[in-house]
Amino acid sequence: MKRARRLGLPALLVATLVAPACDSAGVRSSVPPRPQATAPAGGAPFAHDTGCSGTAPAATNAAWEQQVIELVNQQRKANGLPPLKHVTSLADAARWCAKDMVDDDYFGPGHDTYDRAGGRLVKVCAWSARIGAFYAGGNALGENIGEDYSSPQEVVTGWMGSSGHRANILNGDYWETGVGYRAGASHGHRWVQDFGRRRGVYPVVINDEAASTDSPFVELYVYGNWSQVLIRNDSEAFGPWQPFASTLAWSLANVDGLRTVSVEMRSGGTVVTASDTIGLSFSRR
């Protein structure tokens, strides 16, 4: 019999730009014991992390994580919202959560982080503390998790079909995101998407955070409210100041490979610089 796919209760911590609000991830519940995770074939010790922070785990399927970001941004665009910027720190937090759920064989509850001791789960920190250990300065945080969905499209469809998870995806308070995916343990797949926004950080997003393009002509989204911007390709000199618009047409340096666009934004005495990258691939033309 096919096991039912599950979505964790959506975690949400939305704050003003002054101070974070309280955790509203949901009611904590007791967790029944599951069998202790077994060692891999060959008898080697079952290696896993403990606690809520440490060395960020490497991606096990970066392509699937990227697809989740692109699919989520498609949903945001369809609902009149700007794209989320992928940031490494939120990806680290999401990958940590996904790996920990696999290593200690649990799902939820409340998104908090657990270690196994004597075959039982022991809570070691709240979900928001775990994200904060990787993503400093976040004043709006959210998280969606999913279990046993077998593809990026399936898990995003599942989230969009759940009112709380959909609300996280379509929350305009979030400007940045990171995704973690891990296979293993008793329920196959673990998916985590973390959302955030940081004081004083104004992301730039190329082509809705697509990984690559076959055209040098792209669209930039610039967060914030500015009077003027400067733009440059790669390490070239900045161009002239131009009036600010949230959405700007731009031409990449017409060279195959990873391209970087940097934007300097100013309003009054405030000047901020941000950048994004995208792969330009002639082979796709």
Side-chain angles (χ1 to χ4, degrees):
M1 182 174 68
K2 185 173 178 60
R3 181 174 52 245
R5 297 161 177 160
R6 295 194 294 169
L7 296 173
L9 184 71
L12 173 66
L13 189 158
V14 178
T16 67
L17 295 181
V18 178
C22 62
D23 185 346
S24 59
V27 177
R28 309 299 181 222
S29 59
S30 60
V31 184
R34 280 188 182 172
Q36 184 70 36
T38 57
F46 188 87
H48 67 279
D49 298 302
T50 60
C52 273
S53 64
T55 302
T60 59
N61 195 328
W64 273 17
E65 294 172 351
Q66 172 64 28
Q67 285 179 48
V68 169
I69 292 171
E70 293 181 12
L71 289 167
V72 162
N73 277 340
Q74 288 173 19
Q75 294 292 336
R76 286 174 65 91
K77 188 171 188 175
N79 286 274
L81 292 168
L84 297 169
K85 171 71 177 288
H86 171 259
V87 293
T88 300
S89 54
L90 281 175
D92 289 345
R95 288 170 183 165
W96 178 278
C97 180
K99 182 177 185 296
D100 193 69
M101 286 193 290
V102 168
D103 287 351
D104 286 311
D105 197 14
Y106 69 95
F107 183 70
H111 295 244
D112 297 330
T113 296
Y114 292 80
D115 287 340
R116 280 203 180 269
R120 296 192 68 86
L121 290 175
V122 178
K123 179 180 170 179
V124 293
C125 75
W127 68 274
S128 52
R130 183 246 310 153
I131 295 176
F134 295 94
Y135 181 72
N139 50 27
L141 297 176
E143 181 171 88
N144 285 346
I145 61 175
E147 178 181 58
D148 212 28
Y149 289 83
S150 59
S151 72
Q153 182 65 66
E154 285 189 357
V155 73
V156 173
T157 298
W159 284 335
M160 289 299 293
S162 162
S163 60
H165 299 84
R166 176 187 174 92
N168 268 348
I169 288 172
L170 302 182
N171 191 330
D173 287 325
Y174 302 142
W175 292 4
E176 299 178 312
T177 193
V179 174
Y181 166 78
R182 201 84 173 184
S186 60
H187 285 263
H189 307 270
R190 300 294 200 281
W191 301 87
V192 182
Q193 182 167 24
D194 287 337
F195 305 89
R197 178 176 174 180
R198 293 174 287 175
R199 185 193 310 276
V201 176
Y202 298 90
V204 170
V205 185
I206 305 173
N207 277 10
D208 298 327
E209 204 63 324
S212 62
T213 178
D214 60 5
S215 170
F217 303 107
V218 297
E219 181 178 275
L220 310 180
Y221 187 87
V222 183
Y223 275 93
N225 186 16
W226 309 95
S227 58
Q228 292 179 303
V229 295
L230 297 172
I231 309 176
R232 75 174 182 185
N233 281 321
D234 304 312
S235 58
E236 298 174 1
F238 279 103
W241 287 105
Q242 58 180 284
F244 169 74
S246 296
T247 302
L248 296 164
W250 186 250
S251 298
L252 303 172
N254 201 6
V255 181
D256 197 17
L258 190 66
R259 307 268 58 87
T260 300
V261 178
S262 300
V263 181
E264 187 170 296
M265 303 152 267
R266 75 177 181 186
S267 185
T270 302
V271 178
V272 175
T273 302
S275 64
D276 196 18
T277 60
I278 191 168
L280 178 60
S281 177
F282 294 120
S283 63
R284 293 179 57 193
R285 297 181 182 179

